[in-house]
């Protein structure tokens, strides 16, 4: 039943963060299925936080991870990456596992501008924060270079090395070559970027992935005159997952520029 009054001291039971209620809604924006956690009133949205999940995952797995931002006026927007979740049926035949990951990244990056346009149409232009984990970190590192609407970005449990001998298709090889972070990192400054990894990650061993990626970013941000805009952290004992401490580091990093 709709339109019924409710008692202000005992309103509807809704998702909450530390006593502040928020809404969860599903939309399709520019053809992309998304879940949005946001303040109850759309007019209260002050910024977007775009959250990209990892390979073989789906948007539902990121619900609640960054919902603390809703109490600060954040609309936490969680898309299904291309070929994932509700979109797994779009997967082309004949891809090996690594080609599947990179075809998803390529398509997800290509559709991001239209998704951002649709968000702006729905809620109005807002500052944009982007966080991605694992495969989503590939997307975040690409968008920080290519999408100037990004206010801050965080790339978690990921790599900028992008050496992929199993990826053979010419479109995918071109994408890797055109966007490999350790080659093209100079396009990222001055947008603030956080690179966070666990020191026990078996998927992206620290010395082979985080260390060379962080070294290149540190150099290019310093050369551009913005050394403090790049931050790296390594969390002890953390494997290939977004830990609570890692999530909290992202929140602190984003709130540095969060609109009042």
């Amino acid at each position: 039943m709709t339109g019924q009054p409710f008692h202000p001291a005992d309103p509807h039971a809704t998702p909450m963060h530390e006593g502040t209620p928020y809404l969860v809604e599903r939309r399709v924006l520019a053809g992309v299925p998304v879940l949005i956690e946001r303040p109850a009133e759309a007019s209260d949205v002050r910024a977007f936080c775009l959250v990209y999940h990892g390979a073989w995952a789906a948007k539902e797995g990121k619900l609640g991870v960054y919902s603390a931002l809703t109490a600060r006026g954040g609309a936490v927007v969680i898309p299904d990456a291309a070929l994932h979740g509700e979109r797994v049926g779009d997967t082309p035949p004949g891809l090996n596992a690594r080609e599947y990951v990179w075809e998803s990244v390529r398509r997800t990056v290509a559709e991001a501008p239209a998704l951002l346009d649709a968000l702006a149409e729905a809620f109005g232009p807002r500052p944009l924060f982007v966080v991605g984990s694992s495969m989503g970190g590939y997307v975040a590192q690409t968008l920080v270079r290519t999408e100037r609407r990004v206010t801050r970005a965080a790339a978690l449990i990921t790599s900028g090395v992008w050496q992929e001998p199993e990826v053979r298709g010419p479109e995918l090889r071109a994408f890797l070559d055109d966007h490999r972070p350790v080659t093209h990192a100079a396009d990222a400054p001055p947008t603030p970027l956080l690179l966070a990894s666990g020191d026990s990650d078996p998927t992206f061993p620290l010395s082979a992935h985080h260390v060379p990626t962080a070294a290149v970013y540190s150099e290019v941000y310093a050369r551009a005159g913005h050394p403090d805009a790049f931050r790296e952290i390594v969390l002890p004992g953390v494997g290939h997952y977004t830990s609570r401490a890692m999530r909290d580091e992202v929140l602190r990093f984003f709130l540095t520029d969060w609109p009042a």
Side-chain angles (χ1 to χ4, degrees), residues 182 185-186 189 212-227 230 232:
V182 294
T213 304
V216 171
Y217 279 128
S218 294
E219 178 186 351
V220 300
Y221 273 84
R223 192 164 63 236
H226 301 280
F230 173 67
E232 61 161 315

Side-chain angles (χ1 to χ4, degrees), residues 1 13 19 66 74 79 108-109 114 121 125 139 153 171 189 202 225:
M1 188 174 290
Y66 298 100
T108 300
V109 167
E121 183 176 347
V139 176
E171 278 189 305

Side-chain angles (χ1 to χ4, degrees), residues 112-137:
L115 173 59
L116 298 182
D117 290 344
L119 273 173
E121 183 176 347
F123 295 99
R126 299 287 189 272
L128 173 68
F129 300 77
V130 177
V131 55
S133 54
S134 193
M135 180 187 75

Side-chain angles (χ1 to χ4, degrees), residues 192-203:
L193 174 65
L194 169 67
L195 183 72
S197 302
D199 71 355
S200 302
D201 189 338
T203 303

Side-chain angles (χ1 to χ4, degrees), residues 26 28 33-35 58-60 80 84-90:
R26 178 191 178 277
V28 177
V34 301
L35 292 173
K59 60 187 181 303
E60 288 78 8
D80 273 329
H84 288 75
E86 296 180 47
R87 314 169 72 191
V88 69
D90 297 335

